[in-house]
Amino acid sequence: MTVAGRELAVRGPDGHRWSLAGRIPPQPRAMLLWLPALGVAAKHYLPFADALALEGVAVYVHEWRGHGSSDLRASRDRDWGYRELLTLDLPASEAAISADLPAATRLIGGHSLGGQLACCRLALSPESAQRIWLVASGAPYWRAFPAPRRLLLPLAYRFLPWLAFRRGALPGRAIGFGGTEARSLIRDWARTGLAGRYAAAGLDADLEAALAKVTAPVDAVLLRDDWLAPASSLRFLLSKLGAPGTAPTTLGAEALGVPADHFSWMRQPEALAEALLDEAGRDGALQAAAASSGSSAR
């Protein structure tokens, strides 16, 4: 099968520009908009996109503002939070994808913070996708983590916003957490970590109420040795959704071929891609889409 690479130039309503990387099979049976983890550029997910495209799923990898192809960088003079990501950037990527590849079955998903914001985006725009894919993702609420680590998390959720506001942006590379991150983004993230509720400064919508109305099926993969997104944090995130309960797939190093931690799977993503496809296939959703489009990818 020949997979086509795409680079879509996208411009948001506030002038922000970035590139949307796509991997498109000849006859896609579904389309996935994939949201990266905090501080991770889109290019690092291209092996994952290739693995899914070889199985008939078209993938477009979003670029967070401030990273990779984005023409913005967080600084004292450049700031943004969840509101800009959810209401400006993601709708622009969705519009670019719709123009490039209309698809009957649309998925949204993400890694870590990307999975959380995929749920929030679908809550704000229920028509944007019919299914959610989560990888190594879960709410950062400190009480949703096992002891003893959860006892230290409130300190981090207070210190990191303070540091970001003190410096103008979070120096993530220097401290080993994320990249150079906008201070309001870190504030929105830390608020959820402390209070267990999703909200965005400047956003009028009640995200918690909107999440409770999300009924799209969820397919989720946990990494067995991932302390950043343990099963308890995923359960807490899923408890906010109105979707039926899901039994996530847990993968260990023996299945992945790499350590089963938060990031190593990105280097060798085939087993994880297969796990997501298997979960989605249990209710026949992607098979039905394949039949309607004539795809024979799998």
Side-chain angles (χ1 to χ4, degrees), residues 6 8-10 18-24 30-35 58-63 89-103 105-108 128:
R6 301 269 177 86
L8 306 182
V10 187
W18 66 98
S19 294
L20 195 62
R23 293 294 185 267
I24 317 300
M31 184 282 295
L32 169 67
L33 173 59
W34 187 253
L35 311 187
V59 182
Y60 294 86
V61 185
H62 182 69
E63 189 85 87
D89 295 353
L90 287 175
S93 280
E94 289 166 1
I97 292 168
S98 294
D100 187 57
L101 182 70
T105 301
R106 297 173 67 96
L107 318 173
I108 189 169
S128 61

Side-chain angles (χ1 to χ4, degrees), residues 76-118:
R76 195 171 300 280
D77 299 323
R78 294 278 191 173
D79 186 37
W80 56 82
Y82 283 4
R83 183 186 69 83
E84 288 80 2
L85 304 186
L86 291 170
T87 67
L88 300 181
D89 295 353
L90 287 175
S93 280
E94 289 166 1
I97 292 168
S98 294
D100 187 57
L101 182 70
T105 301
R106 297 173 67 96
L107 318 173
I108 189 169
H111 175 206
S112 196
L113 177 66
Q116 298 174 60
L117 294 187

Side-chain angles (χ1 to χ4, degrees), residues 2 35 38 55 62 73 93 97 112 133 139 178 200 202 252 259-260 274 290 297:
T2 301
L35 311 187
L38 179 73
E55 297 292 340
H62 182 69
R73 291 295 181 267
S93 280
I97 292 168
S112 196
W133 279 4
E274 188 64 30

Side-chain angles (χ1 to χ4, degrees), residues 20 49 51-52 125 170 267 286:
L20 195 62
L52 287 171
S125 180
L170 184 73
R267 304 197 307 266
L286 297 190

Side-chain angles (χ1 to χ4, degrees), residues 86-243:
L86 291 170
T87 67
L88 300 181
D89 295 353
L90 287 175
S93 280
E94 289 166 1
I97 292 168
S98 294
D100 187 57
L101 182 70
T105 301
R106 297 173 67 96
L107 318 173
I108 189 169
H111 175 206
S112 196
L113 177 66
Q116 298 174 60
L117 294 187
C119 294
C120 290
R121 176 57 194 160
L122 192 58
L124 294 175
S125 180
E127 73 284 353
S128 61
Q130 290 83 51
R131 199 174 193 97
I132 305 171
W133 279 4
L134 304 177
V135 171
S137 189
Y141 185 39
W142 71 276
R143 292 183 184 275
F145 281 71
R149 186 165 287 114
R150 70 179 177 198
L151 302 178
L152 300 176
L153 288 176
L155 297 176
Y157 295 147
R158 291 182 174 93
F159 172 70
L160 293 176
W162 174 86
L163 179 62
F165 274 79
R166 178 87 179 208
R167 296 284 296 270
L170 184 73
R173 296 283 180 258
I175 64 175
F177 179 76
T180 301
E181 307 296 343
R183 57 189 181 274
S184 292
L185 174 65
I186 295 301
R187 179 186 59 192
D188 287 340
W189 167 79
R191 180 191 295 114
T192 303
L194 287 170
R197 294 181 59 82
Y198 284 93
L203 183 67
D204 293 333
D206 183 337
L207 278 176
E208 288 288 315
L211 285 165
K213 297 178 181 177
V214 172
T215 58
V218 179
D219 304 306
V221 177
L222 287 163
L223 287 310
R224 188 179 59 202
D225 304 318
D226 181 9
W227 67 268
L228 287 167
S232 52
S233 69
L234 174 62
R235 286 195 298 269
F236 186 76
L237 174 61
L238 295 177
S239 74
K240 293 181 174 293
L241 306 179

